[in-house]
Amino acid sequence: MTITLNTPSFRLATRTPAARFFAEIFGLRFEGLGGHFAPVRVNDTLTLDFNDAKGLSQPSIMRFT
């Protein structure tokens, strides 16, 4: 059985600057907000979703397929 981590979501103080910084240091592209998230695509199967922590009561989320 193969398990793939495909869309982890991270709660941060400010999603957009965090996503831009992550993308820049790893040579990835940040293409702007996608709904409530600032997504950064790492490869064909992994996208990191950065989300603002303000007003959220749930912890970071990890999705597997």
Side-chain angles (χ1 to χ4, degrees):
M1 175 175 74
T2 301
I3 298 173
T4 303
L5 174 65
N6 60 9
T7 314
S9 177
F10 302 100
R11 292 177 46 203
L12 302 159
T14 52
R15 67 182 172 207
T16 303
R20 281 192 180 121
F21 176 74
F22 182 88
E24 182 180 324
I25 64 172
F26 288 102
L28 303 169
R29 288 186 347 166
F30 171 64
E31 298 181 4
L33 297 176
H36 297 287
F37 301 101
V40 176
R41 181 174 282 296
V42 176
N43 59 35
D44 290 341
T45 61
L46 178 61
T47 300
L48 303 178
D49 283 341
F50 294 83
N51 196 0
D52 285 334
K54 185 182 357 174
L56 294 177
S57 60
Q58 51 181 253
S60 295
I61 300 167
M62 301 291 174
R63 292 181 191 90
F64 297 90
T65 57

